[in-house]
Amino acid sequence: MKILRTVTELRNWSRALRLETEPETQLDTRLETRGAGAKIGLVPTMGALHAGHASLIRAAAARCNAVAVSIFVNPTQFGPSEDFASYPRTFQADCTLAEAQGATVIFAPAVEELYPAGASTFVEVEALSTRLDGLSRPGHLRGVATVVAKLFIAAEADLAFFGQKDAAQVAVLRRMVIDLRLGTEIVVCPIVREADGLALSSRNIYLTSEERVRALTLSRVIHHAEGLVAGGQRRSQVVVEAAREMLAAEPSLRVDYIELVNWASLEPAEFVGSGTLFAIAAWVGNTRLIDNTVFE
Ligand code: PAF
């Protein structure tokens, strides 16, 4: 599988694909309309790929003629006391998995390629970047928006695939695409869970077997909230209180947030309606886990 290391290589790969399928179209028109010609898919990741990433790559391969998977542990989305240095890096295994799921190329730049010396340009999606994960991890969503904007600009992809598990990230990126009029459409894929309900995450490998059992409380809380709403409960306060009680019954978990919000604005929702996001974040030992559901 081809491994691209520079922005120029990625851009040339993407442009060559378009030229192959629509040689007579002017470049400017192609960039504006993106819909014409080869459908190029992008799956941004930080590596340590698991079945959740595999589902994104398969979704991209099903809808696109060519798929680039980026593998880049992005320093700007980690706080100073977070796990940037120890974040799992499993490059060879990632390439094997990505290829088996239908990726065409891997984009794996060095940090200096995306952040040249003196880099001082950032993308801040105001308000949204300071809610949910953005509140407890200051600067995190600014780092995500910045690196994803760089990837979108470099790849010139038609579609980019993200998991619903990072729901606050999705809200920020959707807003960014609208505001910057980026020509890449965001496709959100469902959360992938283990058979016992645990949402897949690259950070699950940090859990001891005992912590992993305790971590199941998160998906149970999500399931319980879904049941309450399916049973007709619409008052957010009632759903959140029930979740809080369940989480309190597992004292070894430290709750970061339990919220019902409008998924687009991340503003608190008083009542559960279409597009309401129920999201939780909790610490299990030293590992912070997130989970959510979206009500239709
Ligand atoms: O979801 C992730 O893995 C990361 O936040 C992303 C989107 C690849 C940006 O670094």
Side-chain angles (χ1 to χ4, degrees):
M1 160 128 63
K2 214 175 192 177
I3 296 170
L4 311 177
R5 297 283 181 187
T6 66
V7 165
T8 306
E9 283 173 342
L10 180 61
R11 187 169 292 138
N12 287 346
W13 169 79
S14 165
R15 289 186 178 181
L17 276 170
R18 279 191 211 287
L19 280 172
E20 274 170 25
T21 52
E22 42 167 346
E24 72 293 345
T25 315
Q26 290 294 310
L27 178 66
D28 289 350
T29 320
R30 283 204 316 275
L31 293 184
E32 273 164 31
T33 54
R34 288 274 170 85
K39 274 234 180 293
I40 296 170
L42 174 69
V43 182
T45 82
M46 297 207 299
L49 302 186
H50 50 63
H53 297 109
S55 78
L56 301 182
I57 301 169
R58 280 199 304 279
R63 290 187 58 181
C64 304
N65 307 116
V67 177
V69 173
S70 65
I71 297 179
F72 179 69
V73 185
N74 173 36
T76 63
Q77 69 187 77
F78 290 81
S81 56
E82 291 184 350
D83 56 344
F84 173 68
S86 59
Y87 195 83
R89 287 162 172 86
T90 55
F91 188 67
Q92 283 315 326
D94 291 347
C95 292
T96 307
L97 180 147
E99 187 167 26
Q101 303 303 320
T104 319
V105 293
I106 297 285
F107 177 53
V111 170
E112 313 75 58
E113 179 65 15
L114 289 191
Y115 296 98
S120 48
T121 304
F122 294 89
V123 177
E124 174 105 40
V125 180
E126 286 188 1
L128 272 78
S129 289
T130 55
R131 302 205 174 111
L132 300 186
D133 306 284
L135 186 62
S136 39
R137 300 181 66 193
H140 168 66
L141 291 170
R142 176 173 107 137
V144 170
T146 301
V147 78
V148 172
K150 287 170 190 261
L151 292 169
F152 280 14
I153 291 166
E156 296 177 353
D158 300 285
L159 304 175
F161 296 76
F162 296 88
Q164 184 192 307
K165 190 170 77 66
D166 293 296
Q169 163 173 292
V170 166
V172 162
L173 296 177
R174 280 176 167 156
R175 187 70 248 172
M176 177 186 81
V177 163
I178 294 169
D179 291 353
L180 298 182
R181 301 211 177 279
L182 298 174
T184 303
E185 185 190 327
I186 289 183
V187 181
V188 181
C189 299
I191 296 176
V192 178
R193 298 180 181 281
E194 303 272 14
D196 57 10
L198 185 69
L200 293 190
S201 161
S202 301
R203 290 190 169 98
N204 288 351
I205 62 157
Y206 296 153
L207 300 170
T208 63
S209 49
E210 207 181 294
E211 286 171 344
R212 199 195 165 289
V213 173
R214 286 189 235 134
L216 291 174
T217 310
L218 272 79
S219 52
R220 284 200 201 107
V221 168
I222 295 291
H223 192 63
H224 185 68
E226 285 171 341
L228 285 177
V229 173
Q233 183 55 257
R234 292 290 177 273
R235 291 186 57 222
S236 298
Q237 203 187 340
V238 175
V239 179
V240 168
E241 275 315 313
R244 205 174 289 287
E245 269 175 37
M246 277 182 83
L247 284 159
E250 181 54 83
S252 58
L253 296 190
R254 190 158 50 87
V255 175
D256 180 353
Y257 63 71
I258 310 171
E259 300 230 27
L260 266 154
V261 297
N262 174 305
W263 194 11
S265 64
L266 301 184
E267 295 269 14
E270 198 180 339
F271 296 99
V272 179
S274 172
T276 309
L277 166 73
F278 175 65
I280 56 182
W283 289 90
V284 186
N286 293 324
T287 309
R288 184 177 174 281
L289 299 177
I290 55 176
D291 204 342
N292 70 72
T293 187
V294 176
F295 296 105
E296 297 306 334

